[in-house]
Amino acid sequence: METTRYVVGYDGTTSAQNALKMATAMARAFEAELEIVLVLREDNPYQRVYPPVGDISPVLEAQARVWLEEALAVVEGAAGDAADGAVTARTHLWRSHSVVTGLLEAIDQLGAAMIAISAGSGKGRLSVGSVADALLHSSSVPVALAPRNYRPQVPPDRIYAAVGTRPGAQQVIREAHEVADRTGLPLEVISFLTDDDGARDAAVVESVREHVGKTVRDVTETDTEVNVASGASLKKAVATVDWQPGGVLLIGSSRLAQGRQLFLGTTAARLLRHLPVPMVVVPRPGATETGSAGLLGG
C-alpha cells in the first residue's frame, strides 16, 4: 500500500509547533508520515538591500537546521504521549523565492496528501495569516489548520463535516465518510444556520435537516448523525455544537475553485474564527473525478 504523506509548513514559531502537534496526532490516527518543510527564501539578485548587510544566508541556514531538529523533538514528544507508537517524520530545508511557492513545490515533489500549517496569530481561534491564505486559494491537496494555542489532548476521535444546502456537499460528505469508514471514527455532518438564514424558523431548520440527511443518504448507507447548528450569529451557532477534544472538521472549497484546487469560501473563512478544533479544507474534485483522494491518500 502506498505511503500517505503530510507536509507540515514549519518556521520554528509556537504556532508552527502547535500545527506540527496537530499533524502528528492526525498522522498517527490516519497512518501517515510527516514531511516537515522549512522554506528559506532565495535572494533576488536584482533586488538591492539597503543598508548593505552582507551575506547572511549561512546564519539563516544554521538557524533553520536548529529549528528542524527541534521539530523532530516536538514530533517525538507528541508521539511519546501515545500508546500506539511513534510517527515517522523527515525534515526538509527547502529553497524557493517565496514560502508559499516552496510549500506548493514540496506538496508536489513529495507526493503529499495534505498540508498542515498554523492559521495565524490574529484575533479569533483560527485567524488566517498570509501564507495560510495563499495556500487556501491555491493548494491542490487538503489544508489542515490548527487553532491558535491548539494543544491536542487526545488523538482524533471524531470526524465532523460542515455542509450547506448548495451543490457540492456530496464531495465533503464522501471525503469525511471515507476517513470515518477507514479509521472507525464516528462521523457527524453539520449544517450551520444563523438568523439571516432563518434559524429562528423551525420549519426552515427542519427543511435543512431533511435536505442534508437526504444528501448523506445519497452518499452512504451508513447511519450518520446529522446536526443543524443554529444561532443568532455564526459564532453562536458554532457554540451550540458539542465539540469533542479530538474532533476534526472537514469543509469544502467554494464553488469558485477550479477542479482539484482550493478556494476558501466566505462561510468557511468566517467559521475559521470560531472553531475550537482543527479545520481541514478539501479541494473541489476534478471534472472527471468521482471518488476521494484526500487525507488518506490514493
Side-chain angles (χ1 to χ4, degrees), residues 10-211:
Y10 194 77
D11 62 5
T13 61
T14 300
S15 59
Q17 291 180 4
N18 292 340
L20 181 54
K21 292 174 183 177
M22 172 193 70
T24 302
M26 293 178 69
R28 186 186 306 113
F30 305 148
E31 299 181 352
E33 298 181 356
L34 298 181
E35 308 288 351
I36 306 168
V37 176
L38 193 154
V39 179
L40 277 183
R41 295 179 59 179
E42 294 179 326
D43 289 334
N44 183 344
Y46 301 103
Q47 182 179 18
R48 293 185 177 181
V49 177
Y50 186 84
V53 294
D55 183 11
I56 63 171
S57 56
V59 177
L60 295 177
E61 180 172 335
Q63 180 60 70
R65 294 192 183 282
V66 170
W67 284 336
L68 288 175
E69 286 297 321
E70 291 175 351
L72 290 177
V74 170
V75 173
E76 184 177 351
D81 295 334
D84 50 355
V87 171
T88 298
R90 290 171 286 270
T91 61
H92 306 268
L93 190 57
W94 210 277
R95 290 175 173 80
S96 184
H97 70 271
S98 77
V99 174
V100 173
T101 300
L103 291 175
L104 291 173
E105 290 171 350
I107 289 170
D108 181 56
Q109 295 181 31
L110 297 174
M114 185 187 77
I115 179 168
I117 53 175
S118 61
S121 57
K123 294 181 179 179
R125 286 191 174 108
L126 277 167
S127 301
V128 180
S130 58
V131 172
D133 183 63
L135 289 171
L136 286 168
H137 290 86
S138 59
S139 176
S140 60
V141 300
V143 175
L145 297 165
R148 190 154 53 99
N149 300 323
Y150 177 68
R151 301 287 192 278
Q153 299 175 343
V154 296
D157 57 11
R158 190 173 188 85
I159 303 299
Y160 301 95
V163 300
T165 56
R166 294 178 177 179
Q170 286 189 342
Q171 173 63 18
V172 181
I173 295 171
R174 186 177 296 112
E175 192 95 36
H177 169 67
E178 180 178 334
V179 174
D181 186 55
R182 287 173 58 178
T183 60
L185 299 179
L187 170 62
E188 179 178 345
V189 178
I190 306 174
S191 188
F192 295 96
L193 282 184
T194 67
D195 282 0
D196 291 340
D197 306 314
R200 294 181 183 272
D201 189 329
V204 171
V205 174
E206 188 56 32
S207 175
V208 170
R209 190 188 311 277
E210 290 179 0
H211 178 88

Side-chain angles (χ1 to χ4, degrees), residues 231-248:
S233 64
L234 187 58
K235 180 179 181 179
K236 291 184 177 180
V238 169
T240 66
V241 178
D242 182 20
W243 299 104
Q244 297 301 303
V248 176

